[in-house]
Amino acid sequence: MPENTLTDAAAEDDPPAVLRRPVSDGESRWANRRWWDADADDYQAEHGAFLGEVDFVWCPEGLREAEARLLGELAGRRVLELGCGAAAAARWLAAAGARPVGLDLSAGMLRHAALAAATSGVRVPLVQADALALPFQAASFDIVCTAFGAIPFVTDSAAALREVYRVLRPGGRWVFSVTHPMRWIFLDDPGEGGLVAIHSYFDRRPYVEQDRTGTPTYVEQHRTLGDRVREIVGAGFVLRDVLEPEWPDGHEQVWGQWSPLRGRLFPGTAIFVCDKPDSRSA
């Protein structure tokens, strides 16, 4: 969630910019594509140095795939980075010997991916598409992964996981990171204001930013930890691990709602490590 506050309606003549309310799939897709297209330059200016040009950073806590090795063996593996943004992770995967593809809904973010390919010299195929309709044949990839991409921004994340399952080969791995579900209890504030529980953990209504006409301009979805597990199992995956990265000593960078103050008290990120069963090895 990009804003630092989350409030309810204040006055009829001054409708709120930020609230929690249901939105349709079409509204969500339209809002988020436009938002990421418009914000791509500012996002890269603010976070590009932290994410790097050829690096795989799982979360604002700074956990890197080079250390965590959540994806397993990479050499020669076909990998889909879902919601790749500027595709720093896909380029790191290519440098590690994998055969990655970067996919994102936003043309603005993919423009930055193309620019970084030129400056880094590491090029990967880039595809503009929707996570709910992946343009690949079944069993096309050995690994699918995303660091905060796609999954929080689709209205039907269970359907997105079924798409991931479809394009993975038997025995393939699926790893994704999202905002830790408990963070939705608090205001989106990196300071002391973000230490007080305000919202119900069980309120699944999405976070919505809207213009004065009531049209959504940014939408992010909340699921509880149990919801995520049920979506994973319901899609057919085996859940292998859930990581909640701790805030590392010496890491003082604030990223939106992530900060040393909050990070040392409760988790900000959940990383789910899943496998697609392989009946041949059963």
Side-chain angles (χ1 to χ4, degrees):
M1 294 177 281
E3 292 293 321
N4 288 331
T5 58
L6 185 58
T7 58
D8 293 322
E12 291 185 3
D13 59 346
D14 187 21
V18 181
L19 68 161
R20 299 279 288 276
R21 71 170 178 85
V23 296
S24 69
D25 177 68
E27 287 178 311
S28 179
R29 184 182 290 107
W30 183 90
N32 285 329
R33 180 172 179 175
R34 285 177 58 90
W35 194 90
W36 285 106
D37 282 350
D39 192 63
D41 291 348
D42 289 342
Y43 183 87
Q44 283 303 114
E46 183 175 0
H47 302 300
F50 180 81
L51 294 173
E53 279 197 336
V54 184
D55 203 355
F56 196 141
V57 185
W58 278 109
C59 52
E61 289 86 353
L63 180 67
R64 285 170 162 76
E65 176 59 18
E67 309 155 11
R69 298 192 59 81
L70 303 181
L71 303 180
E73 178 61 40
L74 294 173
R77 300 295 196 273
R78 287 269 297 167
V79 185
L80 173 63
E81 186 189 2
L82 188 65
C84 67
R91 289 188 294 277
W92 182 88
L93 290 165
R99 296 185 293 150
V101 175
L103 179 146
D104 204 282
L105 181 65
S106 167
M109 295 305 295
L110 291 175
R111 175 170 53 83
H112 280 279
L115 290 171
T119 57
S120 69
V122 182
R123 300 181 181 277
V124 300
L126 300 172
V127 177
Q128 184 178 12
D130 193 322
L132 293 174
L134 299 176
F136 307 107
Q137 293 182 345
S140 295
F141 296 96
D142 301 295
I143 300 167
V144 181
C145 58
T146 183
F148 283 80
I151 302 304
F153 303 107
V154 295
T155 55
D156 192 348
S157 48
L161 265 63
R162 291 193 296 270
E163 271 291 270
V164 171
Y165 187 92
R166 181 183 65 81
V167 302
L168 263 178
R169 67 164 178 78
R173 173 148 293 191
W174 160 231
V175 185
F176 67 101
S177 63
V178 293
T179 300
H180 198 288
M182 74 167 293
R183 282 287 175 110
W184 286 72
I185 300 170
F186 305 99
L187 295 178
D188 200 7
D189 183 344
E192 291 187 358
L195 302 180
V196 180
I198 300 294
H199 303 286
S200 169
Y201 176 75
F202 303 104
D203 182 359
R204 273 83 162 184
R205 291 178 301 169
Y207 169 99
V208 180
E209 295 179 14
Q210 64 182 33
D211 62 23
R212 289 184 176 275
T213 70
T215 301
T217 57
Y218 177 94
V219 180
E220 190 169 342
Q221 304 288 334
H222 169 50
R223 301 290 184 271
T224 68
L225 190 63
D227 292 338
R228 291 293 181 208
V229 171
R230 283 184 288 275
E231 289 182 350
I232 289 166
V233 175
F237 291 105
V238 175
L239 178 61
R240 298 298 186 189
D241 200 0
V242 180
L243 283 76
E244 300 164 298
E246 296 186 37
W247 195 268
D249 293 337
H251 181 28
E252 299 300 320
Q253 182 168 342
V254 173
W255 177 321
Q257 59 155 302
W258 279 265
S259 66
L261 175 66
R262 281 156 59 96
R264 291 172 184 138
L265 293 173
F266 47 82
T269 299
I271 307 176
F272 297 87
V273 182
C274 318
D275 290 337
K276 179 174 179 176
D278 187 350
S279 58
R280 296 169 299 182
S281 61

